[in-house]
Amino acid sequence: MTTASTKNVKIVPTADYDEIVSVVAHYENGLEAGNWDTITKAFDDDAIMYGYTGDDLTSGTYKNLEAYVQQFGAAPNGHTRVDILGITPTSAVVRIDMEGAADGTSYTDFHTLLKKDGRWTIIAKVFHQYEG
């Protein structure tokens, strides 16, 4: 009879969790300050986003956020909660619950991150906007 050998190995170091939270913090801090340059530090150049603002579907590159930042500015009274929903050695999904956005609404975002060249970056954002 053969027995299967299993290893009890931690495959994702705690440092990866910290790095993911740090990447998402660029997004959060950029929105809070209304600073586009800070927001871009979180995203891959080719990142996409999809989501609903009211009944309207928004889609395209994450760079569409720049117009939002220019139009609405900072959100100094915003409050966010970040949860890492899943993580592997090379991918992660993060939920961001946001109240008090610059436009006076609230959002739930799901960000997909990928570890490329040893660095975590957001490659996709899916969101839903609430009325306040």
Side-chain angles (χ1 to χ4, degrees):
M1 178 170 138
T2 351
T3 58
S5 173
T6 60
K7 293 183 180 181
N8 188 14
V9 178
K10 186 176 188 302
I11 61 170
V12 179
T14 303
D16 279 354
Y17 288 86
D18 295 339
E19 290 172 26
I20 289 166
V21 169
S22 178
V23 167
V24 173
H26 289 304
Y27 172 73
E28 292 175 280
N29 295 337
L31 288 175
E32 183 179 314
N35 186 312
W36 176 245
D37 291 336
T38 301
I39 293 169
T40 61
K41 292 177 183 178
F43 287 89
D44 184 82
D45 287 340
D46 296 322
I48 59 170
M49 71 174 196
Y50 286 84
Y52 282 94
T53 53
D55 292 332
D56 298 326
L57 177 63
T58 299
S59 62
T61 174
Y62 86 96
K63 294 174 184 173
N64 292 339
L65 284 171
E66 185 174 14
Y68 174 92
V69 172
Q70 288 177 350
Q71 181 178 356
F72 296 106
N77 299 318
H79 179 71
T80 57
R81 161 71 190 226
V82 175
D83 295 297
I84 298 175
L85 302 178
I87 185 171
T88 73
T90 59
S91 61
V93 176
V94 174
R95 177 182 52 224
I96 303 171
D97 187 65
M98 182 185 312
E99 297 173 348
D103 62 358
T105 63
S106 295
Y107 291 86
T108 298
D109 290 356
F110 294 95
H111 291 215
T112 302
L113 290 87
L114 191 67
K115 193 171 192 179
K116 291 173 54 177
D117 301 321
R119 180 179 165 269
W120 288 99
T121 184
I122 299 170
I123 60 164
K125 169 186 167 165
V126 176
F127 69 92
H128 180 84
Q129 179 192 52
Y130 303 94
E131 292 181 12

